Amino acid sequence: MAVAIARPKLEGNIAVGDNRQIGFAEFGDPQGRAVFWLHGTPGARRQIPMEARIYAEKTGIRLIGLDRPGIGSSTPHRYDNVVAFADDLRTIADTLGIERMVVIGLSGGGPYTLGCAAALPDRVVAVGVIGGVAPTMGPDAITGGLMGNLGTRVAPLLQVAGVPIGLVASSLIRFIRPVGSPVVDLYGRVSPEPDRRLLARPEIKAMFLDDILNGSRKQMAAPFADIVVFARDWGFRLADVKVPVRWWHGDVDHIVPYAHGEHVVSRLPDAQLYTMPGESHLAGLGRAEEILTTMTKVWDEYEPDRRNA
């Protein structure tokens, strides 16, 4: 069953440095409180559930998705560490006229979300993380999981071969565009049962197709750059994240183990873990309204006098 999906109110590129730009897509209320939604690995600026897009429209949220460097319309670039992304977010927020914001990150977007919270405590009110990747280097590190077992081993190779591999992946994206729907179905068939059920939902499938066909169509170097930077010291400590963190994690996550979520949350000064029983890695995409509602309440609790900021 085909599902119509809400299109961005505004979409374009923002200059973030010399000869670099970041792609963005904006949904909801242009005058509302800003929530940045950082995509997973892989993903792009439109990897935002339809439920979130509609909820933002109804409740006056300015919901913004961003391409990371090397995906969609963003210039390829490899950060020295995770926290370096915060400088780009600051520039983007300044350009869009945003002073205060909430940042939400899915999976590979999680580390960048925490990095922004650590680096921009004067701008970031609170952050939400959905099945976020945990550190594999430094004093906050934890072993295991796909990143710990595989990512750290392939990162040295990608550091050298990342650009060529990205070009191959981009060619693959162009190849699968005409058959995008069957590709999503195939991924669902090889996923655990909880994710399979989620991907069978027409609105979730429509979101992934929208992102693949409109967000990721030009290039796909970003996932490889993510793996490289995740395998390094992130450039901040979890104890540096002083703003409120709300973390959602499926307890049968096959990509980022639930224990990794517990580990990170236990090291954050102000954090709460929301367990999703019997759910796997993509479960948070089916709880977009719950997540946005929770983050809005956190904003109200911590800044009751700045509800229109």
Side-chain angles (χ1 to χ4, degrees):
M1 179 177 63
V3 172
I5 190 162
R7 301 298 179 185
K9 291 284 187 69
L10 181 66
E11 196 165 28
N13 305 311
I14 293 174
V16 293
D18 293 340
N19 301 315
R20 285 207 302 121
Q21 60 184 19
I22 293 286
F24 75 97
E26 186 172 312
F27 305 87
D29 183 354
Q31 304 303 317
R33 290 189 292 188
V35 176
F36 285 94
W37 187 292
L38 306 185
H39 61 78
T41 304
R45 63 187 180 275
R46 291 197 184 190
Q47 196 185 75
I48 298 177
M50 187 167 68
E51 181 180 293
R53 305 182 192 196
I54 295 172
Y55 184 78
E57 184 75 33
K58 289 181 177 178
T59 59
I61 291 174
R62 186 180 183 184
L63 185 60
I64 305 163
L66 300 177
D67 290 329
R68 281 197 288 280
I71 198 74
S73 58
S74 291
T75 310
H77 175 73
R78 185 175 293 163
Y79 297 114
D80 291 334
N81 51 37
V82 166
V83 76
F85 172 77
D87 288 335
D88 285 352
L89 184 69
R90 181 191 290 108
T91 300
I92 292 165
D94 288 345
T95 303
L96 294 176
I98 295 167
E99 176 61 27
R100 303 285 278 168
M101 68 201 86
V102 160
V103 185
I104 297 172
L106 167 70
S107 186
Y112 297 104
T113 298
L114 295 175
C116 291
L120 306 172
D122 58 326
R123 307 284 296 271
V124 176
V125 179
V127 299
V129 179
I130 310 165
V133 172
T136 58
M137 296 288 289
D140 292 320
I142 185 172
T143 59
L146 187 62
M147 187 61 212
N149 291 334
L150 179 62
T152 54
R153 297 178 184 178
V154 302
L157 171 64
L158 294 176
Q159 199 157 343
V160 176
V163 172
I165 292 175
L167 292 174
V168 172
S170 300
S171 298
L172 180 61
I173 286 290
R174 286 191 292 272
F175 174 76
I176 67 173
R177 284 191 69 198
V179 291
S181 182
V183 168
V184 175
D185 292 340
L186 177 61
Y187 180 78
R189 285 197 292 271
V190 299
S191 297
E193 178 59 29
D195 282 354
R196 193 177 309 147
R197 291 196 304 268
L198 186 75
L199 289 168
R201 288 168 52 174
E203 74 279 12
I204 296 294
K205 182 176 179 181
M207 180 271 294
F208 274 111
L209 289 174
D210 184 42
D211 190 50
I212 289 172
L213 302 182
N214 296 289
S216 308
R217 70 181 188 273
K218 293 183 179 179
Q219 53 179 338
M220 203 175 178
F224 307 103
D226 280 351
I227 292 171
V228 170
V229 79
F230 293 163
R232 299 173 177 171
D233 187 292
W234 288 3
F236 67 96
R237 300 291 166 255
L238 295 176
D240 297 334
V241 181
K242 307 297 186 183
V243 306
V245 179
R246 299 298 178 260
W247 190 293
W248 286 262
H249 215 116
D251 62 4
V252 291
D253 192 323
H254 67 300
I255 301 293
V256 180
Y258 179 73
H260 285 211
E262 291 181 308
H263 170 79
V264 176
V265 168
S266 72
R267 289 172 172 259
L268 293 166
D270 181 358
Q272 185 172 345
L273 175 63
Y274 295 93
T275 303
M276 297 183 286
E279 298 292 345
S280 191
H281 192 58
L282 300 178
L285 292 173
R287 298 190 180 208
E289 183 171 328
E290 171 193 330
I291 290 167
L292 288 173
T293 299
T294 299
M295 298 313 301
T296 299
K297 288 180 179 178
V298 172
W299 193 324
D300 289 343
E301 291 168 5
Y302 281 79
E303 292 199 328
D305 298 325
R306 299 186 64 172
R307 298 188 181 189
N308 295 318

